């Protein structure tokens, strides 16, 4: 079989799509992220929402406020971008414990969230 552009084109498109899908840095939607932030992620359990532990107005809660988190996130861990740090904070919260916090963030949210959910939450936090 001769490989004409008509035959090759669909493979090129599929490859390009696969490459995009593998990119965890896809821009999320901050409005959808805000919805997730204030909803109970597992309505069947006693799990808290992000909002119950993280304020947006600078006030203290169980966890650090999200006010200014967009700027702070890039300075938390040397060599980690804001986006990488925020992603790790959700899927592996014990990897870096914010100083002064006795209470540890539970590592339960990663499995409840899709990649898209996490991207939306990150976009929301970056805007704070
Ligand atoms: C039960 C309380 C609780 C819930 C619910 C919670 N967190 Fe946290 N979170 C914490 C605590 C406490 C810390 C600080 C201690 C630590 O680093 O583990 C923290 C730290 C963080 C940090 C790092 C903040 C910084 O200033 O560096 C991010 C980002 C974060 N949480 C995101 C989230 C997101 C997104 C959700 C919802 C999916 C969420 N958290 C739900 C308690 C919580």
């Amino acid at each position: 079989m001769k490989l004409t552009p008509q035959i090759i084109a669909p493979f090129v498109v599929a490859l390009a799509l696969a490459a995009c899908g593998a990119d965890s840095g896809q821009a999320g939607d901050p409005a959808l992220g805000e919805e997730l932030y204030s909803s109970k992620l597992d309505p069947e359990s006693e799990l808290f929402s992000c909002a119950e532990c993280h304020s947006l107005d600078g006030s203290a809660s169980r966890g650090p406020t999200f006010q200014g988190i967009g700027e702070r996130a890039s300075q938390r861990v040397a060599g980690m971008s804001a986006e990488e740090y925020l992603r790790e904070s959700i899927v592996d919260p014990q990897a870096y414990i914010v100083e002064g916090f006795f209470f540890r963030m539970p590592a339960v949210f990663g499995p409840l969230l899709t990649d898209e959910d996490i991207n939306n939450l990150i976009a929301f936090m970056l805007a704070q």
Side-chain angles (χ1 to χ4, degrees):
M1 173 172 78
K2 207 175 155 242
L3 289 179
T4 64
Q6 285 77 12
I7 292 172
I8 295 168
F11 293 105
V12 174
V13 171
L15 258 179
L17 286 176
C20 289
D23 177 10
S24 59
Q26 282 173 66
D29 177 336
L32 292 176
E34 181 163 20
E35 255 172 58
L36 282 169
Y37 159 80
S38 41
S39 15
K40 259 196 157 64
L41 298 174
D42 181 4
E44 303 296 312
S45 86
E46 294 299 306
L47 267 184
F48 301 88
S49 65
C50 316
E52 284 172 273
C53 293
H54 296 284
S55 78
L56 298 181
D57 62 3
S59 63
S61 183
R62 294 179 184 89
T65 183
F66 279 174
Q67 190 180 66
I69 184 81
E71 281 187 17
R72 252 189 333 275
S74 65
Q75 287 140 38
R76 284 291 195 217
V77 180
M80 263 188 150
S81 70
E83 201 262 338
E84 284 164 347
Y85 171 72
L86 294 174
R87 183 178 306 280
E88 181 190 78
S89 298
I90 300 172
V91 298
D92 187 10
Q94 318 290 300
Y96 174 85
I97 307 290
V98 179
E99 211 185 306
F101 282 86
F102 175 69
F103 189 94
R104 303 271 166 106
M105 173 161 153
V108 292
F109 297 102
L112 293 171
L113 297 163
T114 64
D115 283 351
E116 200 184 338
D117 289 339
I118 294 177
N119 288 339
N120 293 339
L121 274 168
I122 291 172
F124 167 68
M125 290 190 282
L126 285 175
Q128 303 306 306

